[in-house]
Amino acid sequence: MSQGTPERIRNVALISHQGAGKTTLAEALLFKAGVIKRQGSVDEGNTVSDYDPEEQRRRLSLNATVLPVPWESYKINLLDTPGYFDFVGDVLSALWVVEGAVVLVEAAAGVEVGTEKVWQYAEERKLPRICFVSKMDRENADFSKCLSELRARFGNRVAPIQVPVGQAESFRGVVDILEGKAYLDGSDTAADVPAEVEALVTEAREALEEAVAATDDDLTAKYLEEGSLSAEELRQGLAGAVKSGEVVPVLCGSAAKGIGLAQLLQAIGTLLPSPLEAEPQPTVAEGGEPVAPGDGPLAAYVFKTMADPYVGRLTLFRVYRGTINSDSTVHNSVRGKDERIGQIFVLRGKEQQAVSSLGPGDIGAVAKLQHTQTGDTLCAANAVVQLQPVQYPAPKLSLAAHAGERGDEDKIFSGLARLVEEDPTLAVERDPVTGETLVRGLGEMQLDVVVSRLKEKFGVTMELKTPKVPYQETIRSKVQAEGKHKKQTGGRGQYGHVFLELEPLPPGGGFEFVDKIFGGAVPKQYIPAVEKGIRETMAEGVLAGYPVVDVRATLYDGSFHPVDSSEMAFKIAASMAFKKAFEQANPVLLEPVMRVKVTVPESYMGDCIADLNKKRGKILGMNPDGDLQVIEALVPMAEMFHYATDLRSMTQGRGDFEMTFDHYEEVPAELAQKVIEEASNQAS
C-alpha cells in the first residue's frame, strides 16, 4: 500500500441509500486496480470491506471501512460507508475526514430517501461530489429517469459526463462526453461512439458545456462567442466547477460487469480535490486559526475507534497537518495527555500494513492508545490545537438491558462501555428511578447488532426489553395518621409511637420534614429516626413501588417508653404512619411527559399529528422550516419508547425528532390502575 504525496491523495466517501451497491462497487474498484486477485461478493460474505462477522451474516455494511486504491499516480482512500439509517454515525465520521464524495444511485430504484439524506450531509460539509448511477445492468435500469430525478431533487448543477450504451440486460458500455469516445464491454480501450447514442451524446455535451461555461466568466465569454468549448477547456472548467460545488457530474456503470470503473477512478482523480485544495479544518477554540493542510506541527483527527477484546483498541485517524511517526509521542489535546504511538498501520479492510509514518492528507491507524477516543485531536505538544469534532445525532431509541444469565451484569456493562467507544451514537446509562440499565441508539437494527456483538466479542448474552416508565407517586389532600410499633417478646421490647400530618407540596417541591414536637412527647434523639423511616418509605413508594415526591411530613405528637423505645422502633412507627396517611391522602401516580419536536415533510404532517394524538400527545404548534414542518408536542414518555421506529415507517425514513424531559403530570385514572395492578402482581 503505497503512501501518496498530499497533492496525489484523494479521500473519498462512498455514500448512498441502503442497497445501492457501495460495497460491491468498492470491491470491483479494488479488483480493477489490481489490489485483489478475485472479486468477492456481499452475498458470499467475502468482500474486503465487509469483513466483520455481523456484516457477513446480515449482508450489509455496519461500519465505515478504509480501502486505499492506487490508480495511476493517485492514492484514492475510499471510505465505504453503511447505507442503513441506524449507522449514520459512521457516515458522518467518514464525511468529516474526506474532501469529496461519490453518491451512488441505483439505476432501477432512482433517487431514494437515503440518497436525499446523504446528499444533505455532503451539502452541510460543502463537499464536492460525483454521482454514479450503479447497477446499470439490472432489470428496469433507467439512466435518464435517474438523471431526471437527480435534477428535480438537487437542481440543474447535476450534469452527466457519460452516456450509457444500452441499459438493463443490454448494457454494454459508457461514452465519455468530454473525449467523445466509447468504452465497451469492460474494455479500457477507447472506441468510436455507437450510432445508437450519437444524438444523446451531442445533447449531453451541449448541456455540459453550458453548465460549465456558466461557472466561469472567461468560459462564458468564449462559449457565447464560439458556441462551444474545446475538450481541454471543458475538462479544466469542469474540474474547477466540481471542486467549487457548482457542477455535480454524473457517471454510470456496473460493478458486476466491470463497466465504467476505470472512468470512475479517473474522475475521482481528476475532478475531486486533493487534501491541499480543501478548506482549512476548523478548530474548537473561539477565534482559533483553522488548520490548513500541509507541512507544520502535527494535527490529526480521530474519526473512528474499533474495540477488539484480543487486539485492544484500534484508533483510526486522518492527518491534516504535519507527519505522524511510528514509535513517537504525541499530545491528545482533548484529554490533555500525552500518548505513546506504537506501530502505525495503513488499513485496507481488516488487512494492516505497517508504515513508518503518514503525512498530511493520509489516513491510518494505531493500536492500544491509552486515553484517546473518537473525536479527539492528536497534535504536537509544542503546538496544541483541537480540531472541531463531528456532531452526532442524539440517540432516539432506549431499551432496557437484561442479562441472559444471572451474574453477567458486570460483564455486560463493561462490554457495552467498549461498544460505546466504537459508536458515538450509542449511549448506556442507569435510570436512577427504575434501576434499569438503558441502552440508547438510533434504531432497532443498531441495538440488535449491539446484542450480537456482545455475544460474539465478549461472550455474554443480553436481552433488550421495553424500559419501565420512571413513574412517581404523590398526594392531593392533607391528612393525619398515627403509627404505633409495639412489640413485647421477653426481655426488652420495642416501642415507637408517632402522629404525622401529610400535605402536598407544589410540583418540584421534593420533600420537607417538619418537627413540631413539644414537651418531649418524642425525645430529640429519636426524631432523626422518624425522618429516616419516612424517607426510606418514600423511596420504596406506597401505591406501586415508585418514589414519592412533593410531600411535606409534619411530626406533631407521639409517645415513648423509657426502656423499650429505640431508633429502630420509631423508624418503623414513622413508616407505618406515613403509609397509612399516604393511602388516605388521595394518592396519585405521576408520569414523565416529554417535549417532542418532530420534523417531517409537509405531506406526512397529518399522519404524524394523528399518531401523536393517539399517543395521548398535546400538540403545541406547527412551524415551517424550509421545505419541512416542525410539530411541537407534549407526549407521555410511556408512549414514546418505540417512536423512532414508528416515525421512520410513517415517513419512509424522512422524519426526524428530538425529545427532552419536560415535566411530570398525573396519569389518567384507568391507566394508573393498570400500572398499580401490574406492580402488585410482580410483587406477589
Side-chain angles (χ1 to χ4, degrees):
M1 298 182 205
S2 64
Q3 296 173 60
T5 55
E7 61 275 6
R8 307 308 287 174
I9 290 174
R10 298 293 181 271
N11 295 312
V12 180
L14 294 179
I15 54 178
S16 79
H17 185 84
Q18 168 64 27
K22 296 178 294 299
T23 300
T24 303
L25 176 64
E27 187 79 0
L29 294 175
L30 288 169
F31 181 66
K32 184 72 181 174
V35 174
I36 54 175
K37 299 287 177 273
R38 178 177 176 271
Q39 192 170 322
S41 87
V42 172
D43 283 345
E44 288 174 26
N46 59 356
T47 61
V48 176
S49 183
D50 287 358
Y51 59 86
D52 182 297
E54 268 306 296
E55 293 179 312
Q56 292 168 351
R57 189 168 73 80
R58 294 170 189 269
R59 296 181 184 172
L60 55 88
S61 299
L62 306 174
N63 307 292
T65 313
V66 185
L67 305 164
V69 181
W71 184 254
E72 296 182 347
S73 62
Y74 299 105
K75 178 188 181 185
I76 300 171
N77 286 322
L78 278 184
L79 275 77
D80 178 25
T81 68
Y84 202 85
F85 297 139
D86 287 16
F87 306 100
V88 70
D90 266 35
V91 179
L92 297 175
S93 295
L95 290 173
W96 202 250
V97 296
V98 296
E99 286 78 43
V102 175
V103 182
L104 270 69
V105 178
E106 209 257 12
V111 173
E112 297 173 89
V113 59
T115 323
E116 296 170 15
K117 279 182 175 281
V118 296
W119 189 283
Q120 184 58 37
Y121 301 144
E123 198 74 4
E124 285 163 10
R125 283 285 290 149
K126 298 188 171 63
L127 285 177
R129 68 214 74 138
I130 288 171
C131 276
F132 184 77
V133 178
S134 62
K135 304 186 184 181
M136 280 297 300
D137 56 320
R138 282 191 76 167
E139 195 181 342
N140 300 322
D142 189 335
F143 181 78
S144 59
K145 174 175 157 282
C146 287
L147 189 59
S148 301
E149 288 179 4
L150 282 165
R151 282 185 159 158
R153 191 69 194 80
F154 309 121
N156 286 335
R157 61 179 169 149
V158 176
I161 61 169
Q162 284 181 353
V163 165
V165 180
Q167 51 192 20
E169 62 278 358
S170 64
F171 179 62
R172 62 191 185 94
V174 296
V175 176
D176 184 318
I177 290 167
L178 285 83
E179 288 180 4
K181 292 289 179 190
Y183 295 89
L184 303 173
D185 304 315
S187 167
D188 293 338
T189 307
D192 292 336
V193 176
E196 71 209 68
V197 291
E198 272 178 355
L200 277 176
V201 171
T202 305
E203 186 187 321
R205 167 88 185 204
E206 286 169 5
L208 183 63
E209 285 184 8
E210 200 173 307
V212 170
T215 66
D216 181 281
D217 291 347
D218 293 344
L219 290 178
T220 303
K222 173 100 193 306
Y223 182 70
L224 291 173
E225 202 177 299
E226 298 183 14
S228 68
L229 301 174
S230 70
E232 193 48 40
E233 286 165 339
L234 189 54
R235 195 179 304 283
Q236 283 186 3
L238 178 63
V242 172
K243 285 168 188 172
S244 67
E246 292 170 281
V247 170
V248 178
V250 183
L251 296 88
C252 61
S254 160
K257 286 192 168 184
I259 296 173
L261 304 179
Q263 291 71 33
L264 176 59
L265 289 167
Q266 196 64 32
I268 289 170
T270 56
L271 297 179
L272 292 178
S274 76
L276 298 180
E277 295 170 291
E279 287 292 310
Q281 195 68 0
T283 54
V284 166
E286 208 172 311
E289 279 292 297
V291 171
D295 295 329
L298 173 69
Y301 178 76
V302 174
F303 68 94
K304 187 167 173 60
T305 306
M306 295 194 286
D308 188 286
Y310 308 109
V311 181
R313 190 190 286 137
L314 194 63
T315 300
L316 277 65
F317 58 84
R318 153 76 200 264
V319 182
Y320 283 93
R321 185 178 66 196
T323 301
I324 190 165
N325 299 301
S326 288
D327 303 316
S328 64
T329 299
V330 300
H331 184 69
N332 182 324
S333 58
V334 176
R335 311 286 154 196
K337 298 197 168 160
D338 287 349
E339 278 281 20
R340 178 89 191 120
I341 299 288
Q343 178 63 61
I344 291 173
F345 301 101
V346 171
L347 298 180
R348 182 177 286 126
K350 68 177 171 186
E351 184 189 338
Q352 303 174 357
Q353 182 189 318
V355 293
S356 58
S357 64
L358 280 176
D362 222 336
I363 290 174
V366 62
K368 297 182 180 170
L369 295 189
Q370 294 300 304
H371 314 291
T372 301
Q373 295 178 13
T374 301
D376 289 358
T377 301
L378 301 175
C379 61
N382 61 356
V384 174
V385 66
Q386 198 174 320
L387 296 165
Q388 199 172 311
V390 180
Q391 293 300 306
Y392 295 101
K396 312 284 185 198
L397 177 68
S398 297
L399 292 176
H402 293 265
E405 290 180 34
R406 198 180 281 277
D408 274 356
E409 287 79 8
D410 288 348
K411 274 195 206 166
I412 283 176
F413 211 79
S414 66
L416 286 172
R418 299 280 291 279
L419 293 178
V420 167
E421 285 177 12
E422 282 193 32
D423 186 348
T425 65
L426 273 179
V428 177
E429 59 194 40
R430 204 166 197 87
D431 188 303
V433 177
T434 64
E436 290 183 311
T437 296
L438 300 180
V439 184
R440 307 180 65 220
L442 297 176
E444 288 181 4
M445 163 87 80
Q446 182 191 24
L447 298 188
D448 189 40
V449 167
V450 167
V451 173
S452 301
R453 285 203 166 137
L454 268 181
K455 188 163 176 56
E456 174 203 319
K457 287 188 172 189
F458 304 100
V460 285
T461 309
M462 177 180 78
E463 288 176 55
L464 290 176
K465 299 179 180 176
T466 301
K468 293 174 186 166
V469 179
Y471 292 109
Q472 292 178 346
E473 302 177 9
T474 194
I475 55 172
R476 292 288 184 244
S477 311
K478 182 173 173 179
V479 296
Q480 295 177 338
E482 174 191 13
K484 186 185 255 188
H485 177 61
K486 186 178 178 185
K487 221 170 189 186
Q488 200 68 47
T489 52
R492 186 176 168 179
Q494 294 179 37
Y495 186 90
H497 181 208
V498 296
F499 289 89
L500 291 183
E501 180 176 82
L502 289 197
E503 58 188 305
L505 288 174
F511 170 61
E512 283 179 25
F513 176 71
V514 181
D515 169 15
K516 273 197 179 169
I517 290 293
F518 295 104
V522 176
K524 282 217 176 314
Q525 71 263 33
Y526 298 135
I527 287 171
V530 172
E531 183 176 351
K532 195 174 180 191
I534 293 169
R535 284 187 181 275
E536 285 179 6
T537 308
M538 286 176 69
E540 291 169 5
V542 180
L543 273 183
Y546 294 101
V548 174
V549 295
D550 305 336
V551 168
R552 179 186 290 127
T554 302
L555 172 64
Y556 65 91
D557 201 359
S559 66
F560 71 102
H561 188 281
V563 176
D564 293 348
S565 283
S566 65
E567 287 189 2
M568 179 55 75
F570 272 100
K571 205 167 116 178
I572 294 168
S575 174
M576 290 163 66
F578 183 88
K579 283 179 181 169
K580 202 184 290 180
F582 190 90
E583 284 165 358
Q584 293 165 11
N586 189 11
V588 292
L589 206 59
L590 302 175
E591 65 181 339
V593 174
M594 313 304 283
R595 181 171 286 268
V596 184
K597 233 169 133 176
V598 187
T599 306
V600 290
E602 195 161 349
S603 53
Y604 298 105
M605 204 164 71
D607 289 348
C608 288
I609 289 172
D611 180 67
L612 290 169
N613 284 329
K614 206 166 71 188
K615 288 177 161 54
R616 300 190 284 131
K618 291 176 194 147
I619 308 298
L620 301 177
M622 289 153 278
N623 300 298
D625 178 12
D627 300 340
L628 302 167
Q629 289 286 336
V630 180
I631 306 162
E632 290 207 43
L634 292 172
V635 192
M637 182 198 272
E639 306 286 346
M640 292 299 288
F641 286 126
H642 295 279
Y643 191 62
T645 310
D646 296 348
L647 184 65
R648 192 178 287 179
S649 59
M650 222 181 328
T651 64
Q652 297 181 312
R654 288 181 171 84
D656 196 10
F657 76 103
E658 293 168 24
M659 183 167 74
T660 50
F661 169 75
D662 195 81
H663 66 283
Y664 269 86
E665 70 179 39
E666 199 173 318
V667 180
E670 68 281 4
L671 287 177
Q673 198 48 47
K674 231 188 236 176
V675 173
I676 293 163
E677 279 168 16
E678 275 173 25
S680 106
N681 290 340
Q682 281 170 9
S684 56

